[in-house]
Amino acid sequence: MEFFDSIAQVNSNKKNLKKWEQEQKNIELRRKELAKKNPATREELERAKSLGRVIVDAVDITDDYSETSAQKMEMATEFMAGMATLPLAGLFLYKAMKPPKGLDFFKAMSRQAKWGIGGSIALFALSIPLTFWATQKQKEASRISRFIARDKELNNPKFFVEYTPEQIKQAQEIAKNIPDEKEEKENKFFPFSDTFKLLSELSENKNAYKEWAENRPREEARDLAGKRANTSSETLAIAMKDKDVITRVVKKINMYAEEYSENTETAVASASMLSMLAGMAAGGIAAGITYALQKINLIPKEIPFLKTGVAGFFTIALPLAVPILANKYIIKSAQIGRFKAKQELMEDPNNFIYHDQQEMESVKDIEAPKEKEGIFKTNIDNIKFFFKLLKDSKEYNKYKKEQEKEDNKLRKALLQVEVTDEQLKRAKNLQEKVFNVFEKSDEMWQRYSEDAESATKIYQEAVITGSSLLMSIPAAGWIFCTETKMGQRFAERVKDFYDKPETQARLEKIGNGLKNISESRPVKFIGDSFSKIPYIGKHPVITAAVAAFTALMGATLWGTLTVQSKFTKYQKDAGKIGFMKAMEELKDPVYFVDKYSTNSPFDSIKPASSGLKVISGDMDSQIQKIIKQKKASLQTAAKPQNSKTHAANDNNFIDRWVVENR
């Protein structure tokens, strides 16, 4: 099962991730040093900026489709899962709270306790398959949405053209005559309106996606064979450059989107856990108010189980509503993250300059300082993040209001500008490379991250169920001691033990110890502090209650934040490990060799709208052509791994693939 494989990979790659993260920081520092040491010319920076704009915009759009769809699907599945468990939760709550007729008090308590314990276990058991189902749907939404982004919004290769400053000026003039797009009004009172649109769009495109997914492994194998046949020192040089720039842009935008959304999820998850406590409190208060209104005859007393129903509704409704309503803020936080990543990347064109291995070797002694780790630091960083998010949110809203429309009009105008054949061919190659890298990396990132999130959800459910069962221990003990012969014998032995003089002496010692603690300096200091608060300090009982409540809430908030911070870090690490594994798969620069070039065997194999299907030529004859070219080139072409073993492996791979895919 994919879930267990993902979790096994995440747990086994934690040490590798630390090394990889440190190496990424080292590379960034070394790149900055090279930019100072060997500054790029103005022309180089202009070309780099043009390349960067293309990649950044394409990755931003595709990632927005992927991440937003996954989050909206999460909102829908959480709601549906909540609705699925609601009848079962209501049944057990009703049975646990309904006073049984015709039974004495102790037997009635035993019966209610059984329903409470059984309900906790049954709801936990049901939550596991629902969590797996929800996670599968979220990953599916992400996959189909990436397909939609490629097939519709980014289908035109001109989107990937590296335009010259003159062409951009021409587009700016065209953009002045393009009317503003109508803004879609957000439905603030019904957060599911966008989700229903998404579900409809996913349903419409599901079959097309499935067809593409089935064909993709064969297409990939054929593409790689063709690229190997077209490999030369020149094409490899371009491949190395494109690989470096594309993977770094994808990593940064993906990482920022995840960082912002996952940190926001920490707050939402903390609020969700606290909402369970608040829900129980609200249920109790609502039941009390209902009882009082019945007493003064404002509500009819004869309505059966009204108090129980009101209490149950508030207990369940609040924990269900909080995460659903908060989901739109998670979606927006991912958009803010991508906005900041784009902003940082586009501020410096050096981010899109390629430094070869020789240059990087010259600064290999430069290393980034290792960051301190610890849960205290993590909690403080998460608290700081919320203030940063507020600041970045203002900046993002300003961009949406003042600049986004102009940027969208410029994109449309650029598609109307005439380009050269060479520019268009380069654009097709860039389009294919960006699609492939993003598909591979986002698939692994989303898969590992979503599976890790489902693992943490199951763990949280287990903790909540365990806590519920712990609170049921007295009730379970009562059932055991009153309804079983073994329990009755055990109760008699406990009573005999308690009545012994030695036991009484020990209990007296414990009581004296607790008294000493209550008279200790720290406890007295807390009491004195509260005694200075007006009104509260004059009432010892209120003072003690406020002190206990403050300590309990402080510990609960800090503990909840700590638990959620650990879960969030685990999920973020899982996504990074997914990306790291994807980059391992794309390590060979041959993946980045131009697919469409003057002597490419693919020139007669034109892509369909999504660049995925062969629509002209006989497949076998084209494959045979690729094989002949490949076998001839193996003797002469400069290969990234120039060895007989590599050549033999390539030949075996092609021959085996042809036999399997006839």
mmCIF file of all heavy atoms in Angstrom, residues 23-24 390 405 624:
data_model
loop_
_atom_site.group_PDB
_atom_site.id
_atom_site.type_symbol
_atom_site.label_atom_id
_atom_site.label_comp_id
_atom_site.label_asym_id
_atom_site.label_seq_id
_atom_site.Cartn_x
_atom_site.Cartn_y
_atom_site.Cartn_z
ATOM 1 N N GLU A 23 23.292 20.794 2.720
ATOM 2 C CA GLU A 23 23.977 20.954 1.436
ATOM 3 C C GLU A 23 23.288 22.015 0.577
ATOM 4 O O GLU A 23 23.955 22.793 -0.122
ATOM 5 C CB GLU A 23 24.005 19.603 0.689
ATOM 6 C CG GLU A 23 24.833 19.604 -0.582
ATOM 7 C CD GLU A 23 26.275 20.065 -0.385
ATOM 8 O OE1 GLU A 23 26.855 19.842 0.706
ATOM 9 O OE2 GLU A 23 26.823 20.677 -1.322
ATOM 10 N N GLN A 24 21.947 22.073 0.627
ATOM 11 C CA GLN A 24 21.211 23.097 -0.126
ATOM 12 C C GLN A 24 21.556 24.500 0.378
ATOM 13 O O GLN A 24 21.716 25.430 -0.412
ATOM 14 C CB GLN A 24 19.699 22.863 -0.006
ATOM 15 C CG GLN A 24 19.203 21.561 -0.602
ATOM 16 C CD GLN A 24 19.585 21.376 -2.052
ATOM 17 O OE1 GLN A 24 19.251 22.206 -2.900
ATOM 18 N NE2 GLN A 24 20.288 20.308 -2.357
ATOM 19 N N LEU A 390 0.992 37.917 8.887
ATOM 20 C CA LEU A 390 0.141 39.106 8.855
ATOM 21 C C LEU A 390 0.769 40.192 7.983
ATOM 22 O O LEU A 390 0.092 40.827 7.167
ATOM 23 C CB LEU A 390 -0.089 39.631 10.276
ATOM 24 C CG LEU A 390 -0.963 38.769 11.195
ATOM 25 C CD1 LEU A 390 -0.950 39.327 12.613
ATOM 26 C CD2 LEU A 390 -2.388 38.690 10.669
ATOM 27 N N LYS A 405 -3.730 42.431 -11.892
ATOM 28 C CA LYS A 405 -4.464 42.591 -13.151
ATOM 29 C C LYS A 405 -3.520 42.972 -14.283
ATOM 30 O O LYS A 405 -3.633 42.464 -15.410
ATOM 31 C CB LYS A 405 -5.552 43.657 -13.001
ATOM 32 C CG LYS A 405 -6.770 43.190 -12.220
ATOM 33 C CD LYS A 405 -7.797 44.294 -12.143
ATOM 34 C CE LYS A 405 -8.991 43.887 -11.284
ATOM 35 N NZ LYS A 405 -9.971 44.984 -11.144
ATOM 36 N N GLN A 624 12.315 2.317 -34.012
ATOM 37 C CA GLN A 624 13.483 1.697 -34.656
ATOM 38 C C GLN A 624 14.489 2.768 -35.083
ATOM 39 O O GLN A 624 15.706 2.581 -34.972
ATOM 40 C CB GLN A 624 13.038 0.868 -35.877
ATOM 41 C CG GLN A 624 12.250 -0.391 -35.519
ATOM 42 C CD GLN A 624 13.040 -1.330 -34.620
ATOM 43 O OE1 GLN A 624 14.270 -1.400 -34.696
ATOM 44 N NE2 GLN A 624 12.338 -2.036 -33.739
#
